[in-house]
Amino acid sequence: MVSSIQFDFNQHSHRRFNPLTDSWVLCSPHRTQRPWQGQEEDNEVDTRPSHDPTCYLCPRNKRAGGTLQNPDYKSTFIFENDFPSVRQDQPSLVDDSGDDLLKVQSVRGQCHVICFSPLHDKTLADMTDAQIRPVIDAWINTYESLRPKSYINHVQIFENKGAAMGCSNPHPHGQVWSTEDIPHETAQELKNMRAYRKRHGGGSKCMLCDYVRTETDNDRKAKSSTAASALASSVPSAPVRAAVATTADGSRVVCENDSFVCVVPFWATWPFETLVLSKAHLARLSDMNEQQKEDLANILRRITCRYDNLFNCSFPYSMGVHQAPTDGSEEHEGLSHLHLHFYPPLLRSATVRKFLVGFELLGQAQRDLTPEQAAKRLADCSEVHYKAV
């Protein structure tokens, strides 16, 4: 039966395609009204000291193994993980079973920890641009030091922030896992960017370059439309109509600068998921010039501060950098476009999180809040940290 009601993206179920992963996300905006009687996270006030004598990552303290001691570092500090997920000094495994169902491969690699600051009570959200810049330099230096190694074909830089994301130590830090293989998520993105380029005539066509243009153009149109609507509503004789979102073209831009744009992607799965994209086609962090490095520090501070201000809490997330693998492939070099994913779990408040369960594990990803609604809420947040007000 065909309904006479006009379709409203803010009220009616629909699904959105993620070209990076070649998958769909179900969007059910009407479900934001459902009551919640499920699990709630603790929202403890962050009262950490600037130095914790029991912390394995603070300057001058003994590390988790009990034998090594951290130096009295003043900025960032990089060391090989004392409990790595992959090692370089292990034997190779040759799978000669020929079994298509039970395949196995050995994986060599290295794991590093990067302490962002000597101060135990800091996060990226309340650090300055100047304090974040050495973190970016540490990422670049670690990537470049691993890049020539023959058994390293991919370098994954990431941060897990908060206990809700499984972070084992609250000291501000991230990790670098470098592996012999190219992990599934990166491999899928490269595969789909290759297919996109082929569909659009080959050459140097780039999916994420096109997406940056799409989102920034859409942002300008949305702001122009909002300004025109505000002007029309100020005229007494203008008819007032209820707003119906008949397209999904509301702005998804949260913040931007000359070099980077941060958006809630059109296909976002997590409620306040964001994607930070380089406006220029850069393959890796080390391809940035000095201004782009400064701008990356700026955009990281701004989005993480907005996250904290959304619910007035230390907002948990997993964040990761996607850049060119280190396998020496010219094709991968050309396809790769520098971007960072933020996957935060919080849904309605500092204590209510999203769970990927049921239909989402067995069918496909699902979200309630539309990406446009999430982007507006983040864009409306201050860039002055709530603890500093």
Side-chain angles (χ1 to χ4, degrees):
M1 186 174 83
V2 179
S3 173
S4 61
I5 300 173
Q6 190 174 23
F7 188 92
D8 185 346
F9 274 90
N10 289 332
Q11 295 294 330
H12 300 133
S13 299
H14 57 280
R15 66 177 189 159
R16 302 186 182 202
F17 181 66
N18 183 342
L20 274 175
T21 60
D22 191 24
S23 62
W24 291 86
V25 179
L26 175 64
C27 189
S28 312
H30 55 285
R31 278 168 53 90
T32 57
Q33 306 303 315
R34 66 180 176 136
W36 181 262
Q37 293 181 312
Q39 177 179 314
E40 296 196 15
E41 307 295 318
D42 292 332
N43 184 26
E44 297 178 359
V45 177
D46 191 352
T47 56
R48 288 176 294 156
S50 59
H51 183 274
D52 182 349
T54 67
C55 171
Y56 299 128
L57 299 181
C58 277
R60 306 180 301 280
N61 290 356
K62 287 287 182 74
R63 292 226 293 274
T67 55
L68 299 174
Q69 183 171 354
N70 297 324
D72 188 16
Y73 64 95
K74 304 299 183 184
S75 181
T76 57
F77 171 47
I78 308 168
F79 63 92
E80 283 201 48
N81 198 317
D82 298 319
F83 301 94
S85 296
V86 288
R87 299 178 180 275
Q88 57 182 312
D89 55 349
Q90 69 171 38
S92 295
L93 171 68
V94 178
D95 181 11
D96 55 6
S97 67
D99 194 320
D100 284 344
L101 295 176
L102 306 177
K103 292 185 177 182
V104 63
Q105 293 178 338
S106 59
V107 180
R108 291 181 297 166
Q110 288 183 251
C111 294
H112 292 79
V113 175
I114 301 178
C115 294
F116 296 162
S117 168
L119 300 176
H120 186 74
D121 58 345
K122 288 289 186 182
T123 67
L124 292 178
D126 50 15
M127 291 168 66
T128 65
D129 292 9
Q131 290 170 329
I132 295 174
R133 173 59 195 273
V135 176
I136 294 168
D137 291 337
W139 289 345
I140 292 170
N141 293 337
T142 305
Y143 175 94
E144 287 299 320
S145 69
L146 293 163
R147 189 176 168 186
K149 296 181 184 293
S150 60
Y151 61 92
I152 299 296
N153 289 310
H154 183 267
V155 176
Q156 182 59 65
I157 297 166
F158 65 96
E159 178 196 5
N160 292 327
K161 180 192 174 192
M165 301 309 294
C167 183
S168 61
N169 189 310
H171 192 99
H173 73 285
Q175 299 185 57
V176 183
W177 289 15
S178 310
T179 54
E180 204 165 5
D181 66 310
I182 299 177
H184 177 75
E185 293 298 317
T186 302
Q188 277 293 102
E189 288 191 356
L190 289 168
K191 174 184 175 182
N192 293 318
M193 287 192 282
R194 181 189 302 113
Y196 181 88
R197 174 172 289 180
K198 184 176 180 180
R199 287 196 306 272
H200 292 270
S204 59
K205 191 71 170 176
C206 171
M207 177 197 291
L208 292 183
C209 284
D210 286 355
Y211 186 57
V212 168
R213 282 190 291 272
T214 294
E215 289 292 13
T216 53
D217 288 350
N218 181 61
D219 180 57
R220 284 190 288 270
K221 291 175 184 176
K223 287 175 178 174
S224 176
S225 176
T226 300
S229 297
L231 180 63
S233 65
S234 67
V235 179
S237 59
V240 179
R241 296 182 179 178
V244 175
T246 56
T247 71
D249 290 336
S251 178
R252 289 174 291 273
V253 172
V254 176
C255 54
E256 65 178 310
N257 55 34
D258 289 345
S259 305
F260 291 89
V261 60
C262 175
V263 304
V264 176
F266 179 80
W267 51 80
T269 293
W270 295 93
F272 295 98
E273 176 182 333
T274 57
L275 182 62
V276 175
L277 297 140
S278 169
K279 290 184 175 180
H281 185 80
L282 304 174
R284 58 179 63 83
L285 289 166
S286 53
D287 290 346
M288 294 189 294
N289 60 34
E290 289 303 306
Q291 186 58 55
Q292 288 164 335
K293 294 174 187 176
E294 298 290 339
D295 285 349
L296 180 55
N298 170 263
I299 209 81
L300 288 175
R301 175 189 60 79
R302 292 166 65 191
I303 182 54
T304 54
C305 181
R306 287 173 185 269
Y307 273 149
D308 278 17
N309 287 341
L310 183 63
F311 296 135
N312 282 7
C313 70
S314 186
F315 203 84
Y317 57 74
S318 280
M319 176 273 289
V321 180
H322 277 179
Q323 56 187 324
T326 57
D327 61 346
S329 164
E330 290 186 11
E331 182 187 35
H332 289 165
E333 291 277 318
L335 288 170
S336 298
H337 183 122
L338 176 64
H339 60 286
L340 295 82
H341 293 278
F342 279 86
Y343 298 129
L346 296 186
L347 174 60
R348 301 186 181 201
S349 68
T351 61
V352 177
R353 62 173 295 176
K354 173 183 175 62
F355 293 90
L356 286 173
V357 296
F359 180 84
E360 296 176 85
L361 288 179
L362 302 167
Q364 67 183 24
Q366 184 271 343
R367 63 178 292 120
D368 296 345
L369 198 68
T370 70
E372 295 75 32
Q373 292 167 339
K376 185 179 188 310
R377 290 185 62 181
L378 286 171
D380 287 344
C381 288
S382 172
E383 291 182 353
V384 177
H385 200 276
Y386 73 91
K387 291 193 295 186
V389 175

